[in-house]
Amino acid sequence: MELDFERCYRAVDSRDQRFDGWFYTGVTSTGIYCRPSCPAMTPKRQNVRFFPSAAAAQGAGLRACRRCRPDAAPGSPQWDVRADVVGRAMRLIADGVVDRDGVPGLAARLGYTERHLHRMLRAELGAGPLALARAQRAQTARTLIETTGLGLAEVAFAAGFGSVRQFNDTVREVYGATPSELRISRGRQPATGGAGTITLRLAYRPPLHAAALLDFLALRALPGVEEVRDGTYHRGLRLPHGTGTVALTPADGYVTATLRLADMRDLAPAVARCRRLLDLDADPIAIDTTLAQDPTLTPAVRAEPGVRLPHAVDGFEMAVRAITTQQISLRSARTTLTHLRSATAPLNLPVDHEVDGDVDLPSRRQPHDRQGGLGAFPSAEELLGVEDVGFRMPGARRETIRAVARAVADGTLDLEPGGDREEAVRRLLALPGIGPWTAGYVAMRALGDPDVFLPTDLGVRRGAAALGLPDDPKTLDTYANRWRPWRSYAVIRLWRTS
């Protein structure tokens, strides 16, 4: 990825936090790399190099700045919205696929050879998949070192390292300190909350309209899975090695996330999914600038800057929700989904989040979680294991849900962030009972497509009419072309207007 030196240097000189995560500043005279908004004195031009990823900076022999903590910067918006192989690879690496399945597993998921994948990532990011995963492991390790009381050997394996020696060498190389020194230098005890509990800050690019996010999630909250209470969003999570819960509280400049995990190896994917859920890696300035060019949206953008597009922590869950919501109210859909979840309850109990001393041991399952009984939405396999998947639901719609579950379970339909968006939509439309609205809604929220428009959606048409726009689906769809490539965000704003 080409980085224009003058533009990058101006961002560093002005300490512009909007560019945090877009690139990293390497200072050759000190041997460190920083985020663009680092408060330290601006380095001289001749001592500066710019890198497209933290892994590339580390590969050049630089260590992370202890002052601005560049590895904690928001992720690049490119990898959040791009639908190409590199964007998909970055989302899968963030979800821990390399740690779980290795580079061969990542390449297989993307349909490319390891060699070709490595070449593409090196060209765009200055680092291959192993180096990118290693940088993420280092960040996960630092978080565990500083926020938990786990022993350092437990931290090493929970962060995805193959050995304690590898863990020690990586932390020393990336942070310029040993794991023990990082823990001592933090200068405080781990946050209270019990074993398996981690509290951390999730950075974002301002502005963030927190009220819009919480309103959206509260309106659609499914009892037993999620709830919004006192300005905090709570939900259960299904993760690669177990389940967990999270409480997300928006604050000025960051979102506080309190995670309770059955297995600490799930920290990185849990963080990645929470960031995607709240759309924290978006570039709100770019989005709002495009939408505000339309005079009909200008007042709304000025009144509510930074409205985000809530995504999903579970693609299959979002598909079931979309199918269930077809032609009925959100309230009726919530009743149906609650019944569906109850039908799978014996297979989907929440966990007691006490962590065994050996992180490789399976977690213990208990009948009640200690944070209000929140559990994960049923998986495709669990849903296929029960006979009654509908409550006052037409038989055809029940079969559609089962068809999606079968396709997800056998791997023919990939609804996770690293999936191919066009292929997923094509496969969804091939299933009986799924039309353009359902496929588009899933693409927008489960797959994170920023440029989906839903011209037949009743809320979209009402919002358009309220703004004086045409509400005829065909005419409205044509009009919406001026909102490209952010039509999904226009949908959110029309829903808020309706």
Side-chain angles (χ1 to χ4, degrees):
M1 183 172 64
E2 293 293 331
L3 295 173
D4 181 78
F5 185 93
E6 287 301 323
R7 185 184 183 197
C8 292
Y9 193 80
R10 286 197 300 271
V12 171
D13 193 37
S14 61
R15 296 173 176 80
D16 194 334
Q17 64 180 0
R18 292 177 301 170
F19 290 90
D20 287 354
W22 277 101
F23 65 88
Y24 297 83
T25 307
V27 185
T28 57
S29 58
T30 60
I32 66 171
Y33 69 93
C34 306
R35 61 170 79 191
S37 64
C38 182
M41 182 182 296
T42 303
K44 296 179 180 180
R45 289 173 175 267
Q46 62 266 30
N47 296 331
V48 170
R49 290 180 61 191
F50 296 112
F51 298 91
S53 66
Q58 293 167 17
L62 304 176
R63 65 170 178 82
C65 175
R66 297 184 190 178
R67 188 170 182 179
C68 70
R69 304 169 79 107
D71 55 333
S76 171
Q78 294 187 80
W79 319 130
D80 201 38
V81 301
R82 279 174 52 169
D84 62 2
V85 176
V86 174
R88 293 169 57 203
M90 288 299 290
R91 292 193 288 274
L92 288 171
I93 291 170
D95 200 58
V97 168
V98 173
D99 292 335
R100 296 191 297 274
D101 304 325
V103 176
L106 175 66
R109 288 280 296 270
L110 296 169
Y112 285 83
T113 66
E114 295 177 51
R115 183 177 180 180
H116 188 53
L117 177 61
H118 181 87
R119 185 163 50 244
M120 287 189 290
L121 291 176
R122 284 283 302 179
E124 289 271 0
L125 292 151
L130 280 177
L132 293 164
R134 175 179 177 270
Q136 178 170 284
R137 284 196 294 270
Q139 180 184 357
T140 302
R142 193 207 67 197
T143 301
L144 291 170
I145 290 168
E146 295 179 347
T147 63
T148 75
L150 287 176
L152 294 180
E154 293 176 302
V155 169
F157 292 107
F161 288 97
S163 69
V164 173
R165 180 177 179 179
Q166 183 189 62
F167 159 70
N168 287 329
D169 291 345
T170 299
V171 170
R172 188 182 298 108
E173 180 180 339
V174 172
Y175 299 112
T178 66
S180 298
E181 290 169 342
L182 279 182
R183 177 159 281 176
I184 294 171
S185 67
R186 188 61 174 165
R188 65 173 178 82
Q189 294 297 319
T192 58
T197 300
I198 301 172
T199 298
L200 63 158
R201 294 180 174 185
L202 308 181
Y204 60 78
R205 291 176 188 81
L208 171 72
H209 200 289
L213 263 178
L214 294 178
D215 288 348
F216 185 96
L217 295 170
L219 183 63
R220 295 160 177 80
L222 177 60
V225 174
E226 57 187 339
E227 64 179 357
V228 175
R229 185 176 68 251
D230 301 326
T232 297
Y233 173 73
H234 306 259
R235 77 156 289 143
L237 299 171
R238 179 182 305 281
L239 298 163
H241 298 103
T243 58
T245 60
V246 65
L248 298 165
T249 307
D252 186 15
Y254 61 90
V255 173
T256 299
T258 300
L259 288 152
R260 301 181 68 202
L261 304 175
D263 192 315
M264 285 296 183
R265 291 175 294 176
D266 285 328
L267 176 60
V271 168
R273 295 176 193 195
C274 290
R275 294 193 65 84
R276 284 189 57 77
L277 171 67
L278 300 185
D279 197 21
L280 298 184
D281 291 326
D283 184 351
I285 299 297
I287 296 165
D288 287 354
T289 298
T290 298
L291 297 183
Q293 290 176 359
D294 183 348
T296 61
L297 290 183
T298 301
V301 172
R302 289 178 177 173
E304 296 184 340
V307 171
R308 306 296 174 109
L309 170 63
H311 293 137
V313 297
D314 183 330
F316 173 68
E317 173 187 337
M318 191 52 59
V320 174
R321 287 184 177 223
I323 295 166
T324 305
T325 310
Q326 291 174 357
Q327 300 177 344
I328 62 174
S329 67
L330 288 173
R331 183 176 181 178
S332 297
R334 187 182 296 113
T335 301
T336 300
L337 290 165
T338 301
H339 175 81
L340 185 153
R341 184 175 181 273
S342 299
T344 64
L347 304 173
N348 188 43
L349 295 175
V351 302
D352 184 327
H353 292 280
E354 295 292 333
V355 177
D356 292 294
D358 184 344
V359 296
D360 290 326
L361 291 177
S363 57
R364 300 182 297 272
R365 289 185 175 270
Q366 301 294 338
H368 298 287
D369 177 76
R370 285 179 289 179
Q371 280 203 357
L374 295 181
F377 191 82
S379 67
E381 292 80 5
E382 289 172 342
L383 190 146
L384 290 171
V386 297
E387 294 184 4
D388 184 13
V389 298
F391 177 68
R392 298 178 182 173
M393 185 189 297
R397 195 167 300 167
R398 298 186 192 192
E399 183 50 40
T400 298
I401 291 176
R402 286 193 174 277
V404 170
R406 285 191 293 267
V408 169
D410 65 22
T412 59
L413 177 62
D414 186 356
L415 298 177
E416 297 312 311
D420 184 319
R421 292 170 184 166
E422 291 187 0
E423 179 66 12
V425 168
R426 186 183 68 79
R427 291 182 181 272
L428 280 169
L429 290 173
L431 295 174
I434 293 185
W437 181 90
T438 304
Y441 188 85
V442 172
M444 183 174 72
R445 295 205 55 204
L447 300 170
D449 191 334
D451 197 33
V452 172
F453 194 65
L454 306 174
T456 62
D457 182 89
L458 181 59
V460 168
R461 294 172 62 193
R462 285 175 175 172
L467 294 174
L469 296 174
D471 61 355
D472 170 69
K474 186 175 181 179
T475 306
L476 182 58
D477 192 34
T478 300
Y479 184 92
N481 284 326
R482 68 190 63 196
W483 299 327
R484 288 181 179 273
W486 308 112
R487 291 183 299 169
S488 296
Y489 291 86
V491 168
I492 296 294
R493 290 194 175 274
L494 291 175
W495 278 339
R496 285 187 63 75
T497 304
S498 64

